Amino acid sequence: MIGRVAALIALVVAVLAVVVLLGNGGDQYEVTAEFENAGQLVKGNEVVVGGTAAGTVKTIELGPQGQALVTFSVDDAYAPLQRGTVATIRSPSLSQIAGRQIQLTLPVDSQGGDPIDDGGQLSEAETVSAVDLDQLFNTLSPATIKDFKHVIQGFEISYDGVGPQANRGLKYLNPFLSTSRRVFAELNSDQAAFENLIVDTSQLSGALAERAPDVSALVGNLNRMMNAIGDRRERLAQAIAMLPDFLRNANTTFVNLRAALDDVDPLVTASKPAARELRPFLAQLRAAAADAVPTVRDLDAIVKRPGEANDLVELTRIQPQLADKAIGSGAPDCGRGPKNAADLQTAADGDFTQGAFGEAVCSLDNSELNLAFLRAYTPELVGWFDDFGHSGYIDAISGIGRISTSFNAFSLSAPGGLPNLLDPLTPAELEAALDTGNTRRCPGGNERPVTDIDPSDDSVPFTDGGALTDGVAGDCDPSQVLPGP
């Protein structure tokens, strides 16, 4: 009987305890937070404030826009939460792979907003979802992930067997980071200068990219220069060994140069006005120098290029031989005697020892008389060409040629009257009628003087004041003219 009463009393106490617990659970403060994703949260995960447990996750549901609706409780010590509270999903430690918790960052009392009612919500702007490392890797392409694996494997190979040395090197990491922090602090102290540095570096990189072939050639030339220096390292070592003595001897020169620089100061001061005037000229000279680059490049190819007998250097080498051929033994000796056509001798000296220039001088000198003679016949020559240029004309029908036979004003006639043209002339009559053998006519011998206007006109035939008849510049006969008055 006593045992039954004790059991009944225990049952009543248990029922009362359950009722009390259920009553207290129904009065617990709860808030629903909207997260971009649940970040592997599960029901029962902790809610912490400053590392102290402050509640648990009650439910996790899917929102209408695909967001995660996480309902969690908060102890009375922190309830009610204020606007400005930030809920962040974090991993409590590195040892937990799937364990998560909600960390509440409470606002300062003076900066907190309105209290959040029981059952209220934290918007997505007031929450921070966890970002797993897998999410970062998922943004990479398979090729990048493969290369990243090779990097990790490379670190393993590089540190294999050198762990103690690496640990000793890591001791210097802290000083390196601290000095780097000071470097970056100096860079951030002057943002404008740092931005100018970045812009100038970008422009420099662009300029180098535009001149990529020149940069490649520069690197190749530097490589050859370094190889050349390496091949002569013994001489370089000797030069370095001699450098201290050279510097000691140069010290005196530098000391004396200091006084010379003081003497140069007045010259520099006097040159300043001229330097200002030279500024526009130098600007134009810079542009001209830039435009002259292709010309200089072509000139370089002209001065020296691979091959034989194809550049200016090789042309210069053969200049002495060319000069010998052109100048010869000395002043030209044309060997011409008195200026008389009968006494004219050969121009050259026979073996061409006076050079090409001397032969040319003799040729021009000895042709003077011929040119003087032919000059007087210029009107006849021009008239001959002019006849060819006016041998016809063009009318409304077409172009025609004009050909005719001309006779003198005095036709053939025998002495004493006109003969019968049907009867042939006797040789005596032909000789009397024709004037033959006129092979030495002077210029203008076919023309007649204008005696009806000026009886003293003796302009034709032209004898150049007798020069064409004295045998020096010619040997014409002024008496050979057309028959008739």
Side-chain angles (χ1 to χ4, degrees):
M1 189 66 180
I2 296 174
R4 291 179 180 177
V5 172
L8 182 60
I9 293 172
L11 179 59
V12 171
V13 171
V15 170
L16 293 175
V18 170
V19 171
V20 171
L21 290 175
L22 291 176
N24 291 338
D27 297 334
Q28 194 171 18
Y29 178 77
E30 294 182 354
V31 176
T32 300
E34 297 181 4
F35 289 94
E36 183 180 358
N37 60 77
Q40 302 186 26
L41 278 175
V42 295
K43 182 180 179 181
N45 283 144
E46 285 186 328
V47 177
V48 297
V49 175
T52 303
T56 56
V57 175
K58 297 299 183 180
T59 60
I60 300 176
E61 298 177 352
L62 185 63
Q65 304 297 329
Q67 71 273 31
L69 301 179
V70 180
T71 302
F72 58 88
S73 62
V74 179
D75 294 344
D76 294 340
Y78 305 101
L81 299 177
Q82 294 179 327
R83 289 295 173 189
T85 302
V86 179
T88 306
I89 299 176
R90 296 188 182 278
S91 176
S93 67
L94 295 176
S95 61
Q96 297 186 12
I97 299 176
R100 293 290 186 271
Q101 63 180 201
I102 297 178
Q103 176 180 325
L104 297 179
T105 302
L106 304 180
V108 182
D109 293 340
S110 61
Q111 298 179 359
D114 297 334
I116 302 175
D117 297 334
D118 184 17
Q121 290 188 345
L122 291 175
S123 64
E124 192 170 345
E126 298 172 305
T127 61
V128 179
S129 300
V131 178
D132 294 326
L133 191 60
D134 293 342
Q135 293 179 265
L136 176 61
F137 289 152
N138 290 337
T139 61
L140 304 178
S141 63
T144 304
I145 295 175
K146 183 179 179 180
D147 295 338
F148 187 67
K149 290 180 179 179
H150 290 166
V151 172
I152 296 176
Q153 294 171 358
F155 277 118
E156 178 187 3
I157 296 173
S158 62
Y159 284 104
D160 187 16
V162 292
Q165 294 89 336
N167 291 333
R168 287 197 300 271
L170 291 176
K171 293 180 180 179
Y172 299 97
L173 182 61
N174 186 23
F176 170 74
L177 294 177
S178 62
T179 54
S180 299
R181 179 177 59 81
R182 290 196 295 269
V183 171
F184 286 113
E186 291 295 332
L187 292 176
N188 293 329
S189 62
D190 193 345
Q191 290 289 338
F194 186 60
E195 290 177 0
N196 292 334
L197 174 62
I198 294 176
V199 172
D200 294 341
T201 304
S202 175
Q203 295 176 351
L204 174 62
S205 301
L208 292 177
E210 293 177 356
R211 298 294 183 89
D214 296 337
V215 175
S216 301
L218 174 62
V219 174
N221 293 334
L222 288 176
N223 183 28
R224 287 192 290 271
M225 182 188 72
M226 293 301 178
N227 291 333
I229 293 175
D231 294 338
R232 292 169 175 77
R233 53 183 176 273
E234 295 180 357
R235 296 183 181 178
L236 181 62
Q238 295 176 358
I240 294 175
M242 298 171 61
L243 184 62
D245 295 336
F246 167 76
L247 293 178
R248 279 192 292 271
N249 294 331
N251 186 30
T252 304
T253 303
F254 294 151
V255 172
N256 296 332
L257 182 61
R258 187 182 306 165
L261 293 176
D262 295 335
D263 297 336
V264 174
D265 287 340
L267 174 63
V268 175
T269 303
S271 301
K272 288 181 179 179
R276 297 190 192 96
E277 298 295 334
L278 285 175
R279 186 179 303 170
F281 168 76
L282 293 177
Q284 296 179 2
L285 180 62
R286 187 183 299 111
D291 295 337
V293 170
T295 304
V296 174
R297 187 182 297 112
D298 296 339
L299 182 61
D300 178 67
I302 295 174
V303 173
K304 184 66 176 176
R305 68 170 59 184
E308 297 181 358
N310 61 353
D311 55 39
L312 191 59
V313 173
E314 293 166 346
L315 178 61
T316 305
R317 291 174 181 170
I318 66 175
Q319 288 301 316
Q321 302 176 5
L322 180 61
D324 293 340
K325 296 295 182 181
I327 299 175
S329 60
D333 183 11
C334 301
R336 195 174 71 183
K339 288 192 175 183
N340 189 298
D343 299 330
L344 186 62
Q345 301 179 10
T346 58
D349 53 7
D351 56 0
F352 298 99
T353 57
Q354 62 187 10
F357 288 167
E359 296 295 330
V361 170
C362 290
S363 177
L364 293 175
D365 187 49
N366 292 334
S367 64
E368 179 182 352
L369 298 178
N370 297 328
L371 294 175
F373 175 74
L374 292 175
R375 179 176 60 85
Y377 290 92
T378 301
E380 281 78 6
L381 182 63
V382 173
W384 184 38
F385 290 156
D386 183 68
D387 289 340
F388 281 107
H390 297 79
S391 61
Y393 59 91
I394 299 176
D395 59 9
I397 300 175
S398 62
I400 63 173
R402 183 176 59 194
I403 302 174
S404 63
T405 302
S406 299
F407 292 96
N408 291 331
F410 303 92
S411 301
L412 296 177
S413 62
L418 294 175
N420 185 1
L421 296 180
L422 298 178
D423 296 332
L425 297 176
T426 64
E429 293 174 341
L430 182 62
E431 182 179 357
L434 298 177
D435 187 8
T436 60
N438 297 319
T439 59
R440 295 168 56 195
R441 289 184 176 180
C442 293
N446 290 336
E447 302 293 335
R448 297 184 183 276
V450 191
T451 56
D452 55 346
I453 299 176
D454 184 4
S456 63
D457 180 21
D458 59 351
S459 59
V460 291
F462 177 71
T463 62
D464 195 11
L468 300 180
T469 61
D470 62 1
V472 177
D475 190 12
C476 68
D477 185 1
S479 64
Q480 295 182 0
V481 295
L482 293 176

